[in-house]
Amino acid sequence: GACSDAPTDPTEIPKAPDFILYGSPDGNDHPYVGLLLFFDADGPVGFCTGSALDANTILTAGHCTHGATAAHWYQMEKPLDAFPTIAAFLQGGIIGTPITYPAFGASFLNTGDVGVVQLVNGTATGPYAELAEPNALADLSKHHLFDIVGYGVEDVRPVQVFNAERLQAQATLVNAK
């Protein structure tokens, strides 16, 4: 996901973390996490997860906003198959302007992989996500567990299947530098 909750205390988690690929339904645990559909001059190019920081600002990844000319924001708790058609799903989005962090792609580690979508024809509903304080990861140890939330690939065998249901799982901090 583009954003996650505050770190989870590793003593609370008795098993190894799951990847979001095998996450469980989020329900309404993270209502500020939504789905973005990006467009370029030729039409739709892909989906990404985003987090509403306020009524008009959605935080996402720079690789999602890079090259996009428009985005549609969807805040929902139901899976894609709950809609009668793809058209019914797509008609509910709030239109926004994608903005990519200027340093995106400038380094090998791609630490500038940040983008936002500024909503222009509607607003995201609260509550809103809160950004961590600067250097919040500095005191965390390697292998610290985090809750992650987002949309994405549900299965990859035999074919890749996209699921528009918000999922949650846990991930391990690999490196904070």
Side-chain angles (χ1 to χ4, degrees):
C3 288
S4 68
D5 274 352
T8 302
D9 182 349
T11 61
E12 297 174 4
I13 310 302
K15 65 179 191 70
D18 294 324
F19 294 103
I20 197 73
L21 180 64
Y22 301 109
S24 58
D26 182 61
N28 202 29
D29 289 348
H30 302 89
Y32 47 83
V33 176
L35 183 65
L36 289 160
L37 172 58
F38 288 93
F39 295 81
D40 66 12
D42 297 323
V45 292
F47 290 97
C48 285
T49 298
S51 293
L53 299 180
D54 61 36
N56 301 101
T57 309
I58 311 302
L59 177 66
T60 190
H63 67 266
C64 299
T65 58
H66 184 72
T69 58
H72 290 198
W73 166 251
Y74 304 89
Q75 241 173 317
M76 62 196 181
E77 287 75 43
K78 57 186 175 179
L80 186 60
D81 62 8
F83 294 88
T85 64
I86 287 289
F89 164 73
L90 294 176
Q91 73 186 31
I94 299 170
I95 297 171
T97 303
I99 303 164
T100 305
Y101 179 62
F104 169 73
S107 69
F108 172 71
L109 297 176
N110 207 7
T111 55
D113 192 12
V114 178
V116 296
V117 171
Q118 200 65 45
L119 300 179
V120 296
N121 82 329
T123 57
T125 59
Y128 303 111
E130 294 182 30
L131 290 176
E133 293 296 321
N135 300 313
L137 297 178
D139 294 332
L140 299 181
S141 63
K142 187 174 181 180
H143 305 296
H144 193 91
L145 295 177
F146 288 87
D147 292 333
I148 58 173
V149 180
Y151 300 83
V153 175
E154 177 68 18
D155 198 357
V156 292
R157 293 186 191 106
V159 295
Q160 183 169 311
V161 176
F162 174 75
N163 182 358
E165 182 176 20
R166 191 171 58 227
L167 300 175
Q168 63 176 301
Q170 293 185 323
T172 303
L173 177 65
V174 176
N175 189 347
K177 297 185 180 350

